[in-house]
Amino acid sequence: MIENKKFKKGQIISNEGDFELWMYYIVSGRVGIYGGYNTEHRVVLSVNERCSFFGELGFLESLPRYGTSVALEDTEVEIITHDNFTEFFNAKPQRIMAIMSSLSAKVRDMYRLYMSSCNTIDEYLEAEQSGKKKSQGLMKRMHMFSYASKRINEKSKEFLN
């Protein structure tokens, strides 16, 4: 049986680092995924709309959540577990394309983020070599990428130990 759950705007759905063996399908509302949610280095990783999934990476790989999910407006989700996975997709086979599109979009977003971090490093190295002052924006991006990298490494080590 598939469980539905409702969240109020601003309510945390799951926390970065939580280990949960389920993913979510958004029936209504919107959900933001944040890295470093309760820190000064908070970064929006994604915004998920109605009829999309989140938490599927951790669910499929049995890994902790890489971000904190927050209801951006009143939101209703369906909770998909290993036990009801087949039932969920058999009920509406078109959801298979939806999850594939969701995973593809996440890969594309990760590639953009990777390229952005490479460009930031290039900009930093150019400033270093030329002796130019590093802009506040550049330094903020450097700190954001550094923080994200450290958090991912910490969470991976915690899970593997």
Coordinates of all heavy atoms in Angstrom, one line a residue, residues 36-116:
G36 N 23.6 21.9 3.1 CA 24.0 22.8 4.2 C 22.8 23.7 4.6 O 22.9 24.8 4.9
Y37 N 21.6 23.1 4.7 CA 20.4 23.8 5.0 C 20.5 24.7 6.2 O 20.0 25.9 6.1 CB 19.2 22.9 5.1 CG 17.9 23.6 5.3 CD1 17.3 24.3 4.2 CD2 17.2 23.6 6.5 CE1 16.1 24.9 4.4 CE2 16.0 24.2 6.6 CZ 15.5 24.9 5.6 OH 14.3 25.6 5.7
N38 N 21.0 24.3 7.3 CA 21.1 25.1 8.5 C 22.4 25.7 8.7 O 22.8 26.0 9.9 CB 20.7 24.2 9.7 CG 19.3 23.7 9.7 OD1 18.4 24.5 9.5 ND2 19.0 22.5 10.0
T39 N 23.1 26.1 7.6 CA 24.4 26.7 7.7 C 24.4 28.0 6.9 O 23.5 28.2 6.1 CB 25.5 25.8 7.2 OG1 25.4 25.7 5.8 CG2 25.4 24.4 7.8
E40 N 25.4 28.8 7.0 CA 25.6 30.0 6.2 C 25.9 29.6 4.8 O 25.9 30.5 3.9 CB 26.6 30.9 6.8 CG 28.0 30.3 6.8 CD 29.1 31.1 7.5 OE1 29.1 31.1 8.7 OE2 29.9 31.7 6.7
H41 N 26.3 28.4 4.5 CA 26.6 27.9 3.2 C 25.5 27.3 2.4 O 25.7 26.5 1.5 CB 27.8 27.0 3.2 CG 29.0 27.6 3.9 ND1 29.8 28.6 3.3 CD2 29.6 27.4 5.1 CE1 30.8 29.0 4.1 NE2 30.7 28.2 5.2
R42 N 24.3 27.5 2.9 CA 23.1 26.9 2.3 C 23.1 27.1 0.8 O 23.3 28.2 0.3 CB 21.8 27.4 2.8 CG 20.6 26.8 2.2 CD 19.3 27.5 2.5 NE 19.1 27.7 3.9 CZ 18.0 28.1 4.5 NH1 17.0 28.4 3.7 NH2 17.9 28.3 5.8
V43 N 22.8 26.0 0.0 CA 22.8 26.1 -1.4 C 21.6 25.3 -1.9 O 21.3 24.2 -1.4 CB 24.1 25.6 -2.1 CG1 24.4 24.2 -1.8 CG2 24.1 25.9 -3.6
V44 N 20.8 25.9 -2.9 CA 19.7 25.2 -3.5 C 20.3 24.2 -4.5 O 20.9 24.6 -5.4 CB 18.7 26.1 -4.2 CG1 17.6 25.4 -4.8 CG2 18.2 27.2 -3.2
L45 N 20.0 22.9 -4.3 CA 20.5 21.9 -5.2 C 19.5 21.6 -6.3 O 19.8 21.3 -7.4 CB 20.8 20.6 -4.4 CG 21.8 20.7 -3.3 CD1 21.9 19.4 -2.5 CD2 23.2 21.1 -3.9
S46 N 18.2 21.7 -5.9 CA 17.1 21.5 -6.9 C 15.8 21.9 -6.4 O 15.6 22.0 -5.2 CB 17.0 20.0 -7.4 OG 16.6 19.2 -6.3
V47 N 14.9 22.2 -7.3 CA 13.5 22.5 -6.9 C 12.6 21.5 -7.7 O 12.8 21.3 -8.9 CB 13.1 23.9 -7.3 CG1 11.6 24.1 -7.1 CG2 13.9 24.9 -6.5
N48 N 11.8 20.7 -7.0 CA 11.0 19.7 -7.6 C 9.6 20.0 -7.6 O 9.0 20.5 -6.6 CB 11.3 18.4 -6.8 CG 12.7 18.0 -6.8 OD1 13.2 17.5 -7.8 ND2 13.4 18.2 -5.7
E49 N 8.9 19.9 -8.8 CA 7.5 20.3 -9.0 C 6.6 19.0 -8.9 O 7.1 17.9 -8.8 CB 7.4 20.9 -10.4 CG 8.4 22.0 -10.6 CD 8.0 23.3 -10.0 OE1 6.8 23.5 -9.6 OE2 8.9 24.2 -9.8
R50 N 5.3 19.3 -8.9 CA 4.3 18.3 -9.0 C 4.6 17.2 -10.0 O 5.2 17.5 -11.1 CB 3.0 18.9 -9.3 CG 1.8 18.0 -9.3 CD 0.5 18.8 -9.7 NE -0.5 17.9 -10.0 CZ -0.8 17.4 -11.2 NH1 0.0 17.7 -12.2 NH2 -1.8 16.5 -11.3
C51 N 4.3 16.0 -9.7 CA 4.6 14.8 -10.6 C 6.0 14.5 -10.9 O 6.4 14.0 -11.9 CB 3.9 15.0 -12.0 SG 2.1 15.1 -11.8
S52 N 6.9 14.9 -9.9 CA 8.3 14.6 -10.0 C 8.7 13.8 -8.7 O 8.0 13.7 -7.8 CB 9.2 15.8 -10.2 OG 9.1 16.7 -9.1
F53 N 9.9 13.3 -8.8 CA 10.4 12.5 -7.7 C 11.6 13.2 -7.0 O 12.3 14.0 -7.6 CB 11.0 11.2 -8.3 CG 10.0 10.3 -8.9 CD1 9.7 10.5 -10.3 CD2 9.4 9.3 -8.2 CE1 8.7 9.7 -10.9 CE2 8.4 8.5 -8.8 CZ 8.1 8.7 -10.2
F54 N 11.8 12.8 -5.7 CA 13.0 13.2 -5.1 C 13.3 12.1 -4.0 O 12.5 11.3 -3.7 CB 12.9 14.6 -4.4 CG 12.0 14.7 -3.3 CD1 12.4 14.7 -2.0 CD2 10.6 15.0 -3.5 CE1 11.5 14.8 -0.9 CE2 9.7 15.1 -2.5 CZ 10.1 15.0 -1.2
G55 N 14.6 12.1 -3.7 CA 15.1 11.0 -2.8 C 15.4 9.7 -3.5 O 15.7 8.7 -2.8
E56 N 15.2 9.7 -4.8 CA 15.4 8.5 -5.6 C 16.9 8.0 -5.6 O 17.1 6.8 -5.7 CB 14.8 8.5 -7.0 CG 15.5 9.4 -8.0 CD 15.2 10.9 -7.9 OE1 14.8 11.4 -6.8 OE2 15.3 11.5 -8.9
L57 N 17.8 8.9 -5.5 CA 19.2 8.5 -5.6 C 19.6 7.7 -4.3 O 20.2 6.6 -4.4 CB 20.1 9.7 -5.7 CG 20.0 10.6 -7.0 CD1 20.8 11.8 -7.0 CD2 20.2 9.7 -8.2
G58 N 19.3 8.2 -3.2 CA 19.5 7.5 -1.9 C 18.8 6.2 -1.9 O 19.3 5.2 -1.4
F59 N 17.5 6.2 -2.3 CA 16.7 5.0 -2.3 C 17.3 3.9 -3.2 O 17.4 2.8 -2.8 CB 15.3 5.4 -2.9 CG 14.4 4.3 -3.1 CD1 13.8 3.6 -2.1 CD2 14.1 3.8 -4.4 CE1 12.9 2.5 -2.3 CE2 13.3 2.8 -4.7 CZ 12.7 2.1 -3.6
L60 N 17.6 4.3 -4.4 CA 18.1 3.3 -5.4 C 19.5 2.8 -5.0 O 19.8 1.6 -5.2 CB 18.2 3.9 -6.8 CG 16.8 4.2 -7.4 CD1 17.0 4.9 -8.7 CD2 16.0 2.9 -7.6
E61 N 20.3 3.6 -4.4 CA 21.7 3.2 -4.0 C 21.8 2.8 -2.5 O 22.9 2.4 -2.0 CB 22.7 4.3 -4.3 CG 22.8 4.7 -5.7 CD 23.8 5.8 -6.0 OE1 23.7 6.9 -5.3 OE2 24.6 5.6 -6.8
S62 N 20.7 2.9 -1.7 CA 20.7 2.7 -0.3 C 21.8 3.5 0.4 O 22.6 3.0 1.1 CB 20.9 1.2 0.0 OG 19.8 0.4 -0.5
L63 N 21.8 4.8 0.1 CA 22.7 5.8 0.7 C 22.0 6.8 1.5 O 20.8 7.1 1.2 CB 23.6 6.4 -0.4 CG 24.6 5.4 -1.1 CD1 25.3 6.1 -2.2 CD2 25.7 5.0 -0.1
P64 N 22.7 7.5 2.4 CA 22.0 8.7 3.1 C 21.6 9.8 2.2 O 22.2 9.9 1.1 CB 23.1 9.1 4.1 CG 24.1 8.0 4.1 CD 24.0 7.3 2.8
R65 N 20.7 10.6 2.6 CA 20.2 11.8 1.8 C 21.4 12.7 1.6 O 22.1 13.0 2.6 CB 19.1 12.5 2.6 CG 17.9 11.6 2.8 CD 17.1 11.4 1.5 NE 15.9 10.6 1.8 CZ 15.4 9.7 1.0 NH1 16.0 9.5 -0.1 NH2 14.3 9.1 1.3
Y66 N 21.5 13.2 0.4 CA 22.6 14.2 0.1 C 22.2 15.6 0.4 O 23.0 16.5 0.3 CB 23.2 14.0 -1.3 CG 22.2 14.5 -2.4 CD1 22.2 15.8 -2.8 CD2 21.4 13.5 -3.0 CE1 21.3 16.2 -3.8 CE2 20.5 13.9 -4.0 CZ 20.5 15.2 -4.4 OH 19.7 15.6 -5.4
G67 N 20.9 15.8 0.6 CA 20.4 17.2 0.9 C 19.2 17.1 1.8 O 18.6 16.1 2.0
T68 N 18.8 18.3 2.3 CA 17.6 18.5 3.1 C 16.5 18.8 2.2 O 16.6 19.8 1.4 CB 17.8 19.5 4.2 OG1 18.9 19.1 5.1 CG2 16.6 19.8 5.0
S69 N 15.4 18.2 2.3 CA 14.2 18.5 1.5 C 13.2 19.3 2.3 O 12.9 18.9 3.5 CB 13.6 17.2 0.9 OG 13.2 16.3 1.9
V70 N 12.7 20.3 1.7 CA 11.8 21.3 2.4 C 10.6 21.6 1.5 O 10.8 21.9 0.3 CB 12.5 22.6 2.7 CG1 11.6 23.6 3.5 CG2 13.8 22.3 3.6
A71 N 9.4 21.5 2.1 CA 8.2 21.9 1.3 C 8.2 23.4 1.1 O 8.3 24.2 2.0 CB 6.9 21.5 2.1
L72 N 8.2 23.8 -0.2 CA 8.2 25.2 -0.6 C 6.8 25.8 -0.6 O 6.7 27.0 -0.6 CB 8.9 25.4 -2.0 CG 10.3 24.9 -2.1 CD1 10.8 25.1 -3.5 CD2 11.2 25.7 -1.1
E73 N 5.8 25.0 -0.5 CA 4.4 25.3 -0.4 C 3.8 24.1 0.2 O 4.4 23.1 0.4 CB 3.8 25.7 -1.7 CG 3.9 24.7 -2.8 CD 3.6 25.2 -4.2 OE1 4.2 26.2 -4.6 OE2 2.7 24.6 -4.8
D74 N 2.5 24.2 0.6 CA 1.8 23.0 1.1 C 2.0 21.9 0.0 O 1.7 22.1 -1.1 CB 0.3 23.3 1.4 CG 0.1 24.2 2.6 OD1 1.1 24.5 3.3 OD2 -1.0 24.6 2.8
T75 N 2.4 20.7 0.5 CA 2.8 19.7 -0.4 C 2.3 18.3 0.1 O 2.2 18.0 1.3 CB 4.4 19.6 -0.5 OG1 4.8 20.9 -1.0 CG2 4.9 18.5 -1.4
E76 N 1.9 17.5 -0.9 CA 1.5 16.1 -0.6 C 2.4 15.2 -1.5 O 2.6 15.5 -2.6 CB 0.0 15.9 -1.0 CG -0.4 14.5 -0.7 CD -1.9 14.2 -1.1 OE1 -2.6 15.2 -1.5 OE2 -2.3 13.1 -0.9
V77 N 2.9 14.2 -0.8 CA 3.8 13.2 -1.5 C 3.2 11.8 -1.3 O 2.5 11.5 -0.4 CB 5.2 13.3 -0.9 CG1 5.8 14.7 -1.2 CG2 5.3 12.9 0.5
E78 N 3.6 10.9 -2.2 CA 3.5 9.5 -2.0 C 4.8 8.9 -1.7 O 5.8 9.4 -2.2 CB 2.9 8.9 -3.3 CG 1.5 9.2 -3.6 CD 0.9 8.6 -4.9 OE1 1.7 8.2 -5.7 OE2 -0.3 8.5 -4.9
I79 N 4.8 8.0 -0.7 CA 6.1 7.4 -0.3 C 6.2 6.1 -0.9 O 5.4 5.2 -0.7 CB 6.1 7.3 1.3 CG1 6.0 8.8 1.9 CG2 7.4 6.6 1.8 CD1 5.9 8.8 3.4
I80 N 7.3 5.9 -1.7 CA 7.6 4.7 -2.4 C 8.7 3.9 -1.7 O 9.8 4.5 -1.5 CB 8.0 5.0 -3.9 CG1 6.8 5.7 -4.6 CG2 8.3 3.7 -4.6 CD1 7.2 7.1 -5.0
T81 N 8.4 2.7 -1.3 CA 9.4 1.9 -0.6 C 9.8 0.7 -1.5 O 9.2 0.5 -2.6 CB 8.8 1.3 0.7 OG1 7.7 0.4 0.3 CG2 8.2 2.4 1.6
H82 N 10.7 -0.1 -1.1 CA 11.1 -1.3 -1.9 C 9.9 -2.2 -2.0 O 9.7 -2.9 -3.0 CB 12.3 -2.0 -1.3 CG 13.6 -1.2 -1.4 ND1 14.2 -1.2 -2.6 CD2 14.2 -0.4 -0.6 CE1 15.3 -0.4 -2.5 NE2 15.3 0.1 -1.3
D83 N 9.0 -2.2 -0.9 CA 7.9 -3.1 -0.9 C 6.8 -2.7 -1.8 O 6.1 -3.6 -2.4 CB 7.3 -3.2 0.5 CG 8.3 -4.0 1.5 OD1 9.1 -4.8 1.0 OD2 8.2 -3.7 2.7
N84 N 6.6 -1.4 -2.0 CA 5.5 -1.0 -2.9 C 5.9 -0.4 -4.3 O 5.1 0.1 -5.0 CB 4.5 0.0 -2.2 CG 5.2 1.3 -1.9 OD1 6.2 1.7 -2.5 ND2 4.7 2.0 -0.9
F85 N 7.2 -0.5 -4.5 CA 7.8 0.0 -5.8 C 7.1 -0.5 -7.0 O 6.6 0.3 -7.9 CB 9.3 -0.4 -5.8 CG 10.1 0.2 -6.9 CD1 10.6 1.5 -6.9 CD2 10.3 -0.5 -8.1 CE1 11.3 2.1 -7.9 CE2 11.1 0.0 -9.1 CZ 11.6 1.3 -9.0
T86 N 6.9 -1.8 -7.1 CA 6.3 -2.4 -8.3 C 4.8 -2.0 -8.4 O 4.3 -1.6 -9.5 CB 6.4 -3.9 -8.2 OG1 7.8 -4.3 -8.2 CG2 5.8 -4.6 -9.5
E87 N 4.1 -2.0 -7.3 CA 2.7 -1.5 -7.3 C 2.6 -0.1 -7.8 O 1.7 0.2 -8.6 CB 2.2 -1.6 -5.8 CG 0.8 -1.0 -5.6 CD 0.5 -0.9 -4.1 OE1 1.1 -1.5 -3.3 OE2 -0.5 -0.2 -3.9
F88 N 3.5 0.8 -7.3 CA 3.5 2.2 -7.7 C 3.6 2.4 -9.2 O 2.8 3.1 -9.8 CB 4.6 3.0 -7.0 CG 4.7 4.4 -7.3 CD1 3.8 5.3 -6.7 CD2 5.6 4.8 -8.3 CE1 3.9 6.7 -7.1 CE2 5.7 6.2 -8.6 CZ 4.9 7.1 -8.0
F89 N 4.5 1.7 -9.8 CA 4.8 1.8 -11.2 C 3.8 1.0 -12.1 O 3.4 1.4 -13.2 CB 6.2 1.5 -11.6 CG 7.2 2.6 -11.2 CD1 8.0 2.4 -10.1 CD2 7.2 3.8 -11.8 CE1 8.8 3.4 -9.6 CE2 8.1 4.8 -11.4 CZ 8.9 4.6 -10.3
N90 N 3.3 -0.1 -11.6 CA 2.3 -0.8 -12.3 C 1.0 0.0 -12.4 O 0.2 -0.1 -13.4 CB 2.0 -2.2 -11.7 CG 3.1 -3.2 -12.0 OD1 3.8 -3.1 -13.0 ND2 3.1 -4.3 -11.2
A91 N 0.7 0.7 -11.3 CA -0.6 1.5 -11.3 C -0.6 2.6 -12.4 O -1.6 2.8 -13.0 CB -0.8 2.2 -10.0
K92 N 0.5 3.1 -12.7 CA 0.7 4.1 -13.8 C 2.0 4.0 -14.4 O 3.0 4.6 -14.0 CB 0.5 5.6 -13.2 CG -0.9 5.8 -12.7 CD -1.0 7.3 -12.4 CE -2.5 7.5 -11.9 NZ -2.6 8.9 -11.4
P93 N 2.1 3.1 -15.5 CA 3.4 2.9 -16.1 C 4.1 4.1 -16.7 O 5.4 4.1 -16.8 CB 3.1 1.9 -17.2 CG 1.8 1.3 -16.8 CD 1.1 2.3 -16.0
Q94 N 3.4 5.2 -17.0 CA 4.0 6.4 -17.5 C 5.0 7.0 -16.4 O 5.8 7.8 -16.8 CB 3.0 7.4 -18.0 CG 2.1 8.0 -16.9 CD 0.8 7.2 -16.6 OE1 0.8 6.0 -16.9 NE2 -0.2 7.8 -16.1
R95 N 4.8 6.6 -15.2 CA 5.7 7.1 -14.2 C 7.1 6.6 -14.4 O 8.1 7.2 -13.9 CB 5.2 6.7 -12.8 CG 4.0 7.5 -12.4 CD 3.5 7.0 -11.0 NE 2.4 7.8 -10.6 CZ 1.6 7.5 -9.5 NH1 1.9 6.3 -8.9 NH2 0.6 8.2 -9.1
I96 N 7.3 5.5 -15.1 CA 8.6 5.0 -15.4 C 9.4 6.1 -16.2 O 10.6 6.4 -15.9 CB 8.6 3.7 -16.1 CG1 8.0 2.6 -15.2 CG2 10.0 3.3 -16.6 CD1 7.7 1.3 -15.9
M97 N 8.8 6.7 -17.2 CA 9.4 7.7 -18.0 C 9.7 8.9 -17.1 O 10.7 9.6 -17.2 CB 8.6 8.1 -19.2 CG 8.7 7.2 -20.3 SD 10.4 6.9 -20.9 CE 10.8 8.5 -21.5
A98 N 8.8 9.2 -16.2 CA 8.9 10.4 -15.3 C 10.2 10.2 -14.4 O 10.9 11.1 -14.2 CB 7.7 10.6 -14.4
I99 N 10.4 9.0 -13.8 CA 11.6 8.8 -13.0 C 12.8 8.8 -13.8 O 13.9 9.3 -13.4 CB 11.5 7.6 -12.1 CG1 12.5 7.6 -11.0 CG2 11.6 6.3 -12.9 CD1 12.4 6.6 -9.9
M100 N 12.8 8.3 -15.0 CA 13.9 8.3 -15.9 C 14.3 9.8 -16.3 O 15.4 10.2 -16.3 CB 13.7 7.5 -17.2 CG 13.7 6.0 -16.8 SD 13.3 4.9 -18.2 CE 14.6 5.2 -19.3
S101 N 13.3 10.6 -16.5 CA 13.5 12.0 -16.8 C 14.1 12.7 -15.6 O 15.0 13.6 -15.7 CB 12.2 12.7 -17.2 OG 11.7 12.2 -18.5
S102 N 13.6 12.4 -14.4 CA 14.1 13.0 -13.2 C 15.5 12.6 -13.0 O 16.4 13.5 -12.7 CB 13.2 12.4 -12.0 OG 13.8 12.9 -10.8
L103 N 15.9 11.4 -13.2 CA 17.3 11.0 -13.0 C 18.2 11.6 -14.1 O 19.3 12.1 -13.8 CB 17.4 9.5 -13.1 CG 16.8 8.7 -11.9 CD1 16.8 7.2 -12.2 CD2 17.6 9.0 -10.6
S104 N 17.7 11.7 -15.3 CA 18.5 12.4 -16.4 C 18.7 13.9 -16.0 O 19.8 14.4 -16.2 CB 17.7 12.3 -17.7 OG 18.3 13.0 -18.7
A105 N 17.7 14.5 -15.5 CA 17.8 16.0 -15.2 C 18.8 16.1 -14.0 O 19.6 17.1 -14.0 CB 16.4 16.5 -14.7
K106 N 18.8 15.2 -13.1 CA 19.8 15.3 -12.0 C 21.2 15.1 -12.5 O 22.1 15.8 -12.1 CB 19.5 14.3 -10.9 CG 18.3 14.8 -10.1 CD 17.9 13.8 -9.0 CE 16.9 14.3 -8.1 NZ 15.6 14.6 -8.6
V107 N 21.4 14.2 -13.4 CA 22.8 14.0 -14.0 C 23.2 15.3 -14.8 O 24.3 15.8 -14.6 CB 22.8 12.8 -15.0 CG1 24.0 12.8 -15.8 CG2 22.6 11.5 -14.2
R108 N 22.2 15.9 -15.5 CA 22.5 17.2 -16.2 C 22.8 18.3 -15.2 O 23.8 19.0 -15.4 CB 21.3 17.5 -17.1 CG 21.6 18.6 -18.1 CD 20.4 18.8 -19.1 NE 19.1 18.7 -18.6 CZ 18.3 17.6 -18.7 NH1 18.8 16.5 -19.3 NH2 17.1 17.5 -18.2
D109 N 22.1 18.4 -14.2 CA 22.3 19.4 -13.1 C 23.7 19.2 -12.5 O 24.4 20.2 -12.2 CB 21.3 19.4 -12.1 CG 19.9 19.9 -12.6 OD1 19.9 20.6 -13.6 OD2 18.9 19.7 -11.9
M110 N 24.1 17.9 -12.2 CA 25.4 17.7 -11.6 C 26.5 18.0 -12.6 O 27.5 18.5 -12.2 CB 25.5 16.2 -11.2 CG 24.7 15.9 -10.0 SD 24.9 14.1 -9.6 CE 23.5 13.8 -8.5
Y111 N 26.3 17.8 -13.9 CA 27.3 18.2 -14.9 C 27.4 19.7 -14.9 O 28.6 20.2 -14.9 CB 26.9 17.7 -16.2 CG 27.8 18.1 -17.3 CD1 29.1 17.5 -17.4 CD2 27.5 19.2 -18.2 CE1 30.0 17.9 -18.4 CE2 28.4 19.6 -19.2 CZ 29.6 19.0 -19.3 OH 30.5 19.4 -20.2
R112 N 26.3 20.4 -14.8 CA 26.4 21.9 -14.8 C 27.1 22.4 -13.6 O 27.9 23.3 -13.6 CB 25.0 22.5 -14.9 CG 24.4 22.6 -16.2 CD 23.1 23.4 -16.2 NE 22.3 22.9 -17.2 CZ 21.1 22.4 -17.1 NH1 20.5 22.5 -15.9 NH2 20.4 21.9 -18.0
L113 N 26.8 21.8 -12.4 CA 27.5 22.2 -11.2 C 29.0 21.8 -11.3 O 29.8 22.6 -10.8 CB 26.8 21.4 -10.0 CG 27.3 21.8 -8.6 CD1 27.1 23.3 -8.4 CD2 26.6 21.0 -7.6
Y114 N 29.3 20.7 -11.8 CA 30.7 20.3 -12.0 C 31.4 21.4 -12.9 O 32.5 21.8 -12.6 CB 30.8 18.9 -12.6 CG 32.2 18.6 -13.1 CD1 33.2 18.2 -12.1 CD2 32.5 18.6 -14.4 CE1 34.5 17.9 -12.6 CE2 33.8 18.3 -14.8 CZ 34.8 18.0 -13.9 OH 36.1 17.7 -14.3
M115 N 30.8 21.7 -14.0 CA 31.4 22.7 -14.9 C 31.5 24.1 -14.2 O 32.5 24.8 -14.4 CB 30.6 22.8 -16.2 CG 30.7 21.6 -17.1 SD 32.4 21.0 -17.4 CE 33.1 22.4 -18.3
S116 N 30.6 24.4 -13.5 CA 30.6 25.7 -12.7 C 31.7 25.7 -11.7 O 32.5 26.7 -11.6 CB 29.3 25.9 -12.0 OG 29.3 27.1 -11.3

